[in-house]
Amino acid sequence: STQSTWGYNMQASEPVTMTEHSKLEANSSSEAPAEFKVETIEGQQYSCEKRCDLGDGKREIFSIRFDPHDKHIAAGCGDGTIRIYHLGSQKETYLLQNPGEPMPITSVRWRPHEAKGVSKNVLLSVNAAGQVQHWLSTSCKLLHTIVESTMLCCADFTIDGSMFGVGGDDKIVRLYDEVSKKQKAKLEGTINSPGHTNRIFSIKFSKNDPNIVASAGWDKNVIIWDISAQEPKAKCIGPYICGDSIDLIGNLLITGSWRTENQLEMWDMRESKPTPISIKWDNEPGASPVKLYACQACQNNGKFLLAGGSGTNEARMYNLFQDTNVTPTLLATMKNMSRACYTVDFSNQGDSCAISGGDGLIRIIDIKKQEQMLIYSF
């Protein structure tokens, strides 16, 4: 077996972490991929067009996030750095470096501007060494560090920025008060309603209910937690989560699984026992099936869904709604990445998105509404 950067002995039958997958890609000899391109499906209401590439491609990127004003985008990298790019100049403007031993940055989140506190432009990060860190991006200053005795894989803020949560190798979701940085809760289940039994790779707070947070990972369980009761409220059985690939939008839970069938699914959380609705992901003839590491819904209007992964090394965007009906329709495919897609994000305005991964490039994609075609009869 080989030892992954995230500290897990990998066997052939076990899931492959993003760092381990990146090593396998680097060591494999294959032909150079075709040029990256964005293919928009004809006849749709929206089109997608690549604006630019950010970064030098020298280090894998595991997490990206647009800042609240959509002026910058932060990238958590495999070499332990966080690099922040200005979307106007398309240049790296800030470099955040941990003073200790560099460990992969597994998740980054900007603190919402609604959060209490004088400082704006604050970025939260977690890493494989178990560090939870707050940074003032504009001065590259490390503001605060919490050290947990476990590898951390994911983080998220509540919509008002009053609380944040992290999850990782020890199967526990930890919640902290943003002002005091003190732990408020440890979500690990009860005897009658168990929590996770394996590594947690994704957590998401509900935008509609401040008392709800979802978490998922290798145990094929998405748990919807009641924060005040500190116990599971509901579970969705089946999704195999190996990256930041769950999201909550209204009453819908979206899951992206690292498997070759039923990778992308929706769950109606109003049902007492939710059952998945699979979103079609057809493969091109002869292509390897995609396995998803990332998926996210656009929080601006809930209209779009973006997901990406390994296998085909691609990402796809869907239009979730047609009028008021939930009928996912493929809008565009972002293909021919040289390495797997590990992370995706939408701008806060919902007019652009970004994808990144093992090739160390951040690709910014503009989302444009197509002009209505005028048909004249004579």
Side-chain angles (χ1 to χ4, degrees), residues 97 178 300:
Q97 292 182 288
E178 169 58 19
N300 175 267

Side-chain angles (χ1 to χ4, degrees), residues 23 40 136 204 316 339 346 363 368:
K23 285 182 180 180
T40 297
L136 184 59
K204 286 291 170 65
R316 292 187 182 183
R339 302 281 181 88
F346 282 101
R363 293 177 168 92
K368 299 179 179 180

Side-chain angles (χ1 to χ4, degrees), residues 33-41 46-53 64 66 281-282 284 290 292 294 296 304-319 329-346 350-357 359 361-368:
E35 184 180 357
F36 174 84
K37 62 181 177 179
V38 179
E39 291 184 348
T40 297
I41 305 301
Y46 296 88
S47 65
C48 296
E49 182 179 316
K50 191 183 91 164
R51 185 198 310 174
C52 64
D53 291 341
I64 53 175
F66 286 91
W281 194 302
D282 288 332
E284 294 185 3
V290 70
L292 296 181
Q296 187 179 326
F304 304 121
L305 173 64
L306 183 61
S310 62
T312 51
N313 296 346
E314 68 179 18
R316 292 187 182 183
M317 184 184 297
Y318 294 81
N319 191 347
T329 304
L330 181 63
L331 285 180
T333 299
M334 299 124 194
K335 58 195 304 185
N336 298 337
M337 296 176 69
S338 62
R339 302 281 181 88
C341 175
Y342 295 144
T343 176
V344 301
D345 192 30
F346 282 101
D351 57 358
S352 61
C353 67
I355 63 174
S356 191
D359 65 3
L361 296 174
I362 304 171
R363 293 177 168 92
I364 306 297
I365 313 294
D366 289 321
I367 306 167
K368 299 179 179 180

Side-chain angles (χ1 to χ4, degrees), residues 158-354:
T158 55
I159 192 170
D160 64 357
S162 63
M163 183 167 55
F164 63 91
V166 303
D169 200 42
D170 69 356
K171 315 157 198 171
I172 298 171
V173 175
R174 291 177 169 82
L175 305 181
Y176 303 85
D177 178 80
E178 169 58 19
V179 175
S180 68
K181 306 297 189 292
K182 292 183 178 180
Q183 186 172 285
K184 295 182 66 174
K186 288 174 66 176
L187 306 181
E188 47 190 334
T190 63
I191 294 176
N192 296 326
S193 188
H196 287 290
T197 59
N198 210 327
R199 183 181 297 179
I200 300 169
F201 267 104
S202 188
I203 67 170
K204 286 291 170 65
F205 285 98
S206 169
K207 302 297 187 291
N208 298 340
D209 187 342
N211 192 48
I212 296 297
V213 64
S215 59
W218 276 350
D219 62 5
K220 301 183 181 180
N221 266 320
V222 182
I223 300 179
I224 311 299
W225 297 91
D226 182 317
I227 295 174
S228 58
Q230 297 190 28
E231 64 181 20
K233 178 180 180 180
K235 293 184 180 181
C236 297
I237 311 299
Y240 190 29
I241 305 302
C242 295
D244 186 11
S245 60
I246 66 170
D247 209 351
L248 295 165
I249 187 74
N251 295 310
L252 286 178
L253 167 70
I254 311 292
T255 59
S257 293
W258 195 78
R259 60 191 182 203
T260 58
E261 295 180 341
N262 300 318
Q263 302 97 322
L264 194 56
E265 295 175 311
M266 301 184 302
W267 311 69
D268 188 341
M269 301 311 298
R270 293 171 295 186
E271 299 177 1
S272 58
K273 294 184 178 180
T275 55
I277 301 170
S278 185
I279 300 174
K280 198 173 184 180
W281 194 302
D282 288 332
N283 297 307
E284 294 185 3
S288 301
V290 70
K291 296 180 179 181
L292 296 181
Y293 277 118
C295 82
Q296 187 179 326
C298 179
Q299 298 297 337
N300 175 267
N301 52 24
K303 181 179 286 291
F304 304 121
L305 173 64
L306 183 61
S310 62
T312 51
N313 296 346
E314 68 179 18
R316 292 187 182 183
M317 184 184 297
Y318 294 81
N319 191 347
L320 275 178
F321 299 96
Q322 301 295 327
D323 298 323
T324 57
N325 299 316
V326 182
T327 53
T329 304
L330 181 63
L331 285 180
T333 299
M334 299 124 194
K335 58 195 304 185
N336 298 337
M337 296 176 69
S338 62
R339 302 281 181 88
C341 175
Y342 295 144
T343 176
V344 301
D345 192 30
F346 282 101
S347 66
N348 296 277
Q349 292 299 315
D351 57 358
S352 61
C353 67

